[in-house]
Amino acid sequence: MHLFSGIASSLTEERFTAREAQHLAHIISFGPVVFQTARLMLKYGIFEMLNTSPNGLTQQEIEERTGLSSYACKCLLEASLTIGTVIIDAEKDVYRLGKTGWFLLNDPLIRADIDFNHDVNYEGWFVLDKALEEGRPAGLEHFGPWPTIYEGLSSLPEQVQKSWFGFDHYYSDHSFDEALQLIETETLRSKGEDADVHILDVGGNTGRFAQRCVTYNPHFHVTICDLPQQIAMMRAATEGKEGADRIDGVGMNLLDPNSAFPSETKYDVIWMSQFLDCFGEEEIVSILSRAAKIMTPDNRIYIMETLWDRQKYLPAAFALTQISLYFTALANGNSKMYNTDDLTRLVRQAGLEVETIHDHLGMGGHSIMVVRK
């Protein structure tokens, strides 16, 4: 397995002393309550209070500001103290925000992860073993009877939808402009600056990327392929927006091996952003094989993914491998965040070839595989 240098040593050598390893083991064994304690410290605004109080706050001051009982505050503060999100000045008996608490409060990606894991995943992960053993999203059952989360996305409770889309959009939005710059440079080099560029956005969801495309360049035209209910959500989300007349949609079940990609237009780019990680290996080969049927030697598939083995830093690789288990328990039961070797192998099985890979787009976690026929 190829590992970027930033994470290689951490994953190939023991990085903890025995005491550090024991401490981590205890944190893991109490993982659910560690998570919920941190979430509630955010919910009740205690981290924010400490962040804006450089001299610290006593427990009584926190009780007065939150309206929580002495018992509730004591439980949360003492647990947070040993977790490491807050620290205490024992002489003055005041609490201050720790570095870990600061990141929980101020890193928007971590906040998106917390909401996603609490609202979408938390209950479903209780049956993770069942999902792994049966190869289906057993944890989805408490939301509804759908075979995958995608069929039920438009029917999920409002807060669950909000957290799901907040998570999904945060991981992709920051990479769109660099991706579009790459597409623009590579397609217009051969077509000319004023040429129209036709993009097939496979799995375009609510049209967020498509909308960015048509505002980025007036010559970009986008056709989205996705489930009919997603196309309906896309039309509602883009209605009246700039460039909406250059966005079209085709409703189709991309998992149906007999469902052919639209071919009425000659597409310069076939775009797949955070899409293939939503499917198992056989499904990916099927999707790429059908994409190959409408390709020519001149166009390319651009696959944008957060490949966990190509991350600069260990926290990113950690988060991505944990997200794989959302796919297991909630999304579909058979997909994951892929590594480079696995995704390259699947591309080749579909009769295609990886031409090049562009790394560290946006906030640094995304890569784009440029694939040719």
Side-chain angles (χ1 to χ4, degrees):
M1 180 188 298
H2 171 83
L3 296 169
F4 264 33
S5 59
I7 64 172
S9 61
S10 296
L11 300 180
T12 56
E13 301 171 8
E14 178 58 68
R15 60 185 187 274
F16 302 114
T17 65
R19 190 168 295 279
E20 289 169 342
Q22 183 188 41
H23 183 212
L24 179 58
H26 278 293
I27 291 174
I28 291 169
S29 68
F30 282 95
V33 74
V34 170
F35 173 82
Q36 291 295 351
T37 298
R39 186 183 72 84
L40 293 178
M41 292 287 280
L42 287 165
K43 177 182 177 179
Y44 296 134
I46 300 173
F47 284 157
E48 178 61 35
M49 295 171 198
L50 296 175
N51 189 48
T52 55
S53 303
N55 295 322
L57 293 172
T58 65
Q59 180 185 313
Q60 184 176 352
E61 289 172 323
I62 293 170
E63 290 170 23
E64 292 169 354
R65 295 192 187 190
T66 61
L68 293 172
S69 68
S70 173
Y71 168 79
C73 280
K74 187 180 289 288
C75 284
L76 288 173
L77 287 167
E78 289 179 353
S80 297
L81 190 63
T82 56
I83 291 167
T85 54
V86 303
I87 56 177
I88 191 169
D89 184 329
E91 290 185 6
K92 297 180 180 179
D93 210 24
V94 297
Y95 291 90
R96 293 190 175 90
L97 189 65
K99 291 179 182 177
T100 303
W102 188 93
F103 279 106
L104 286 163
L105 176 65
N106 291 292
D107 188 327
L109 176 55
I110 291 175
R111 296 293 292 270
D113 287 345
I114 287 174
D115 291 343
F116 177 65
N117 286 326
H118 178 68
D119 295 326
V120 181
N121 299 324
Y122 200 80
E123 293 179 84
W125 272 334
F126 188 77
V127 291
L128 178 59
D129 51 351
K130 188 176 181 181
L132 287 165
E133 292 162 9
E134 298 179 5
R136 66 180 186 87
L140 184 60
E141 291 174 353
H142 76 278
F143 284 131
W146 313 289
T148 74
I149 203 169
Y150 310 110
E151 285 93 339
L153 204 52
S154 59
S155 302
L156 291 173
E158 183 179 355
Q159 182 58 43
V160 178
Q161 281 193 38
K162 181 181 178 182
S163 294
W164 191 94
F165 282 113
F167 170 85
D168 182 69
H169 293 161
Y170 194 89
Y171 269 85
S172 58
D173 284 4
H174 295 278
S175 304
F176 282 166
D177 281 356
E178 285 188 55
L180 286 168
Q181 184 178 8
L182 176 65
I183 290 172
E184 185 179 58
T185 300
E186 296 194 353
T187 55
L188 298 185
R189 183 185 296 129
S190 57
K191 298 194 69 172
E193 288 187 8
D194 296 327
D196 284 344
V197 174
H198 293 275
I199 300 170
L200 181 64
D201 184 357
V202 184
N205 211 326
T206 58
R208 205 168 178 90
F209 175 74
Q211 193 171 319
R212 186 70 195 97
C213 281
V214 296
T215 56
Y216 183 87
N217 189 310
H219 299 290
F220 281 2
H221 300 256
V222 185
T223 299
I224 295 175
C225 284
D226 213 323
L227 292 165
Q229 54 266 47
Q230 300 305 105
I231 297 298
M233 292 176 72
M234 175 276 290
R235 294 194 193 284
T238 59
E239 185 177 5
K241 301 285 180 66
E242 179 187 351
D245 59 318
R246 287 181 279 120
I247 301 174
D248 196 8
V250 176
M252 60 183 288
N253 181 3
L254 293 160
L255 287 179
D256 181 356
N258 298 314
S259 185
F261 283 20
S263 57
E264 293 79 10
T265 301
K266 180 184 175 184
Y267 295 103
D268 302 288
V269 170
I270 300 173
W271 172 256
M272 300 180 182
S273 173
Q274 291 183 192
F275 171 67
L276 294 182
D277 56 43
C278 299
F279 303 101
E281 292 195 359
E282 291 182 7
E283 294 162 338
I284 291 174
V285 173
S286 171
I287 290 166
L288 291 174
S289 297
R290 281 176 279 145
K293 290 180 180 180
I294 66 166
M295 289 182 71
T296 71
D298 299 322
N299 59 10
R300 298 290 185 270
I301 302 176
Y302 288 73
I303 300 172
M304 187 164 81
E305 289 287 348
T306 42
L307 299 165
W308 74 260
D309 60 316
R310 303 182 77 85
Q311 301 304 306
K312 283 184 178 180
Y313 306 111
L314 186 59
F318 167 81
L320 292 171
T321 55
Q322 309 311 300
I323 290 168
S324 286
L325 297 171
Y326 143 74
F327 289 108
T328 306
L330 275 299
N332 53 31
N334 66 351
S335 72
K336 65 189 296 293
M337 305 305 287
Y338 289 95
N339 63 47
T340 309
D341 292 347
D342 286 342
L343 198 52
T344 300
R345 170 174 52 81
L346 299 175
V347 166
R348 289 173 178 164
Q349 286 180 22
L352 300 165
E353 195 68 36
V354 176
E355 188 171 65
T356 187
I357 301 178
H358 301 269
D359 292 311
H360 310 314
L361 278 75
M363 295 176 66
H366 283 81
S367 297
I368 289 182
M369 278 187 172
V370 182
V371 174
R372 62 181 174 84
K373 193 166 185 176

